[in-house]
Amino acid sequence: MEEHDKQHVTSYYTNGVILVVLLFLTFFSVFIAEFDLKALTLFVAISVATVKGSIVVMNFMHLRYEKKFTKYMVLGVFVLFAIVLIITFFDYWFR
Amino acid sequence: MSDHEEHVIDRESGTMGMWLFLFTELFLFGGLFLVYAVFRYMHPAEFHEAGLELDTFVGTLNTVVLLISSMTVAMSITAVQKKNNALALGLLAITTILALVFMVNKYFEWTHKFHLVIYPGSPVLENMERGELLFYGLYFIMTGLHALHVIIGLIVLFFAGYGIMKGTVTSERTLLLENAGLYWHLVDLIWIFLFPLMYLIT
């Protein structure tokens, strides 16, 4: 019983609202892709995807309710990937 | 008391173990995203051309289908926590149907490419520019590997559903369903990045 108290119960309503936000962002990114934003196209698409991804990780994957340690662990992995990406590109930029 | 403590530790380590596994999955796809980024940087015009061939409508439809399926899985956890097992099973059944819709869409998308004689090693592809060849190579590998994960996710969810029916997944013990859900959301998360990179940035 006590274990149950520790767990967070996300309401059906909250889950529904999160889906609506995610769908809105999806249609927004499809809509904005119709315009020629030149160099910004990639930036906008990746930004919207990152926001959507964060919403999924924080809410659907319940990271919001996990311990601080788990949160930093997940954040650390994404930072690690960003570092790998940047270091790889240093190689290609200054070749 | 000791029983209860063990249960708490079990839950925490179970969640953490699942996340550690998901990290390996993230880097499996992360490596491919890295390759995509480098090749796109080297062949921007050809990636642009090749990306135009993909059907944005099908891609958008599949994004919507996967997002809804993520919500139904999240809701099934809520249902189990509220002791509404019938609803939880119903939601998992809807998830299964949505996953099948996704796979059928993917099937038609790929067979359409095959009709255009575009598949790895096809004569049409080999005569294309190098950048386009690389784009299609990544397209088939990344969406194919993702589709494989959809199938695995379905199997994992099936076990969670079986657990609900057998009574091993209850409002007190949701770990199996939660971890199955985490896997399913990962599949969704990867698609969230695949969709703009393959279908939108053209």
Side-chain angles (χ1 to χ4, degrees):
Chain A
M1 284 305 276
E2 283 165 67
E3 195 236 343
H4 183 68
D5 291 337
K6 283 186 67 187
Q7 262 180 276
H8 182 87
V9 180
T10 312
S11 69
Y12 299 119
Y13 178 76
T14 308
N15 280 323
V17 170
I18 293 162
L19 176 69
V20 171
V21 172
L22 287 170
L23 289 179
F24 172 77
L25 286 171
T26 304
F27 292 128
F28 173 74
S29 64
V30 173
F31 173 72
I32 207 90
E34 295 294 315
F35 301 99
D36 188 10
L37 298 174
K38 303 272 171 355
L40 273 178
T41 314
L42 188 72
F43 178 74
V44 171
I46 296 294
S47 302
V48 175
T50 307
V51 171
K52 279 168 70 187
S54 312
I55 293 172
V56 168
V57 170
M58 288 308 275
N59 297 287
F60 282 163
M61 293 171 99
H62 292 180
L63 192 64
R64 188 184 286 274
Y65 311 107
E66 296 295 344
K67 287 230 156 80
K68 260 212 171 88
F69 182 74
T70 315
K71 282 181 189 168
Y72 284 123
M73 210 167 69
V74 175
L75 182 68
V77 164
F78 283 103
V79 171
L80 181 63
F81 179 68
I83 292 170
V84 170
L85 194 68
I86 290 165
I87 290 176
T88 307
F89 268 89
F90 272 145
D91 185 18
Y92 282 93
W93 282 328
F94 301 117
R95 211 166 255 220
Chain B
M1 189 58 195
S2 69
D3 241 25
H4 164 243
E5 271 169 16
E6 267 173 40
H7 201 157
V8 172
I9 292 163
D10 179 47
R11 203 188 118 64
E12 267 181 28
S13 54
T15 306
M16 190 166 291
M18 191 63 199
W19 273 106
L20 287 175
F21 169 65
L22 293 187
F23 293 160
T24 69
E25 291 278 20
L26 280 174
F27 269 86
L28 172 67
F29 280 94
L32 289 167
F33 279 118
L34 190 64
V35 172
Y36 175 94
V38 168
F39 283 153
R40 189 181 180 98
Y41 173 73
M42 292 168 79
H43 310 272
E46 290 156 5
F47 264 57
H48 173 90
E49 279 299 310
L52 286 174
E53 278 293 312
L54 299 190
D55 192 336
T56 311
F57 176 75
V58 177
T60 311
L61 183 66
N62 266 350
T63 307
V64 171
V65 165
L66 267 197
L67 286 175
I68 296 172
S69 78
S70 251
M71 184 200 63
T72 53
V73 167
M75 278 185 171
S76 79
I77 296 171
T78 308
V80 167
Q81 284 170 333
K82 291 187 172 180
K83 299 186 200 298
N84 194 343
N85 284 357
L87 180 61
L89 286 172
L91 285 164
L92 287 181
I94 293 171
T95 309
T96 309
I97 293 166
L98 289 169
L100 292 176
V101 170
F102 180 91
M103 292 306 287
V104 168
N105 269 339
K106 192 102 281 176
Y107 168 80
F108 282 120
E109 202 190 345
W110 275 34
T111 37
H112 177 63
K113 293 276 173 308
F114 294 162
H115 278 303
L116 299 173
V117 202
I118 295 174
Y119 50 85
S122 76
V124 172
L125 208 58
E126 273 171 1
N127 288 323
M128 279 183 178
E129 298 287 331
R130 185 158 171 75
E132 285 180 271
L133 181 78
L134 290 169
F135 177 86
Y136 279 114
L138 283 167
Y139 164 77
F140 281 113
I141 286 285
M142 290 174 93
T143 60
L145 192 61
H146 178 266
L148 182 68
H149 278 73
V150 171
I151 295 166
I152 296 167
L154 264 185
I155 296 168
V156 177
L157 283 176
F158 174 80
F159 276 107
Y162 183 68
I164 296 173
M165 282 194 280
K166 253 187 67 189
T168 51
V169 172
T170 63
S171 62
E172 312 298 325
R173 270 183 81 98
T174 51
L175 190 62
L176 177 64
L177 179 61
E178 279 183 75
N179 281 351
L182 279 179
Y183 191 85
W184 191 257
H185 297 313
L186 174 92
V187 171
D188 189 22
L189 183 65
I190 288 159
W191 184 259
I192 284 175
F193 284 94
L194 268 182
F195 168 62
L197 289 178
M198 292 290 171
Y199 297 83
L200 285 187
I201 313 176
T202 48

